[in-house]
Amino acid sequence: FLPAIGHVILLVAKFYLYTIYFVVSVLWAVHSVLAMCNITTFECGKGGKYIDYLRGTEMTDFPFSRSLFGNIKIFIIRDDASQWILNTKVSIPCVSNRLLQRLRRCFNNFMSLQENGGW
């Protein structure tokens, strides 16, 4: 009788964990697509029918999109982050100069590749 209870507990735990995994995977996929299109969940959910600045747009229109890589750059490197990468006058006590130089090099390489159509 005891091994049967163990199997039931294991099946319930699997069902619970697989359900959570499925929900998290769907949320990750949806928000990844939203980040690639540079659109928020509010804008996607309401659309042009209820939001003034989106009136006259279709569901497949993305008025704020700046290409795939531009949207990903906006999503990952926000204004505050890119300021301290590009501006040497801003001091960040927790980041060493060596790491800051590496970040600047990577950021500049990425920007030059994108501007020159290297992707």
Side-chain angles (χ1 to χ4, degrees):
F1 181 73
L2 287 176
I5 292 175
H7 288 295
V8 169
I9 292 173
L10 184 64
L11 285 173
V12 169
K14 278 186 175 183
F15 177 75
Y16 178 73
L17 290 175
Y18 285 144
T19 304
I20 290 175
Y21 174 74
F22 176 74
V23 169
V24 168
S25 298
V26 168
L27 284 172
W28 176 81
V30 166
H31 285 90
S32 296
V33 169
L34 292 176
M36 287 183 223
C37 297
N38 196 17
I39 191 168
T40 63
T41 52
F42 177 72
E43 292 169 344
C44 183
K46 293 291 183 177
K49 190 174 180 182
Y50 298 103
I51 303 174
D52 290 335
Y53 61 86
L54 289 178
R55 288 195 198 260
T57 60
E58 296 294 325
M59 188 62 181
T60 56
D61 290 342
F62 303 113
F64 306 111
S65 182
R66 297 182 183 169
S67 80
L68 177 65
F69 291 108
N71 293 338
I72 292 173
K73 183 187 80 170
I74 290 170
F75 184 75
I76 294 174
I77 302 175
R78 302 285 177 166
D79 291 334
D80 297 336
S82 61
Q83 252 183 0
W84 66 264
I85 291 174
L86 297 174
N87 190 359
T88 57
K89 296 176 184 174
V90 177
S91 64
I92 302 170
C94 63
V95 177
S96 69
N97 286 336
R98 191 176 202 177
L99 177 62
L100 192 59
Q101 288 171 351
R102 265 202 241 151
L103 286 172
R104 280 194 191 104
R105 267 197 314 265
C106 289
F107 182 76
N108 290 334
N109 288 343
F110 175 76
M111 292 303 289
S112 66
L113 279 175
Q114 186 182 7
E115 288 171 359
N116 296 330
W119 292 99

